[in-house]
Amino acid sequence: MEKTYSIKDLMARYAVGEHSVGTWIRNGDLTAINVAKRNGGKPQWRVTQEALDRFELLRMKVPPQPKIGRKKRSDSHVVPFYK
């Protein structure tokens, strides 16, 4: 059986509040399963390791694009003045 994480586990892992984790779930950024016994009660979300891996991959910082600088002029047409 695959390991699952509760909201409290994720709050501790990312040092965020319950509201942040709930927002990630509502927005679809983080896939979660409601394991509450009754419909209409307070949801009890569980997140699988696979869903957590996808979430972290989406939030991974992308390295910045290399800057494209101006092209230097060649010094072949410059006459040396000082020797």
Side-chain angles (χ1 to χ4, degrees):
M1 184 171 178
E2 191 173 8
K3 179 168 174 52
T4 60
Y5 299 92
S6 68
I7 297 288
K8 288 187 180 188
D9 294 336
L10 298 176
M11 288 169 49
R13 182 180 181 124
Y14 298 117
V16 296
E18 186 175 356
H19 181 73
S20 296
V21 178
T23 301
W24 296 336
I25 293 170
R26 276 191 303 282
N27 290 344
D29 297 334
L30 182 61
T31 306
I33 302 165
N34 185 3
V35 294
K37 294 197 185 259
R38 294 184 182 190
N39 293 337
K42 185 175 180 182
Q44 295 179 1
W45 298 107
R46 296 293 181 267
V47 178
T48 63
Q49 183 64 50
E50 180 184 342
L52 195 58
D53 291 341
R54 271 186 276 130
F55 173 74
E56 289 178 348
L57 187 63
L58 287 173
R59 291 205 169 252
M60 190 177 295
K61 202 171 196 179
V62 178
Q65 296 293 324
K67 293 184 179 179
I68 300 174
R70 293 171 62 184
K71 193 173 182 180
K72 287 188 174 185
R73 295 189 310 193
S74 67
D75 293 338
S76 61
H77 69 282
V78 177
V79 178
F81 185 72
Y82 296 105
K83 287 189 178 186

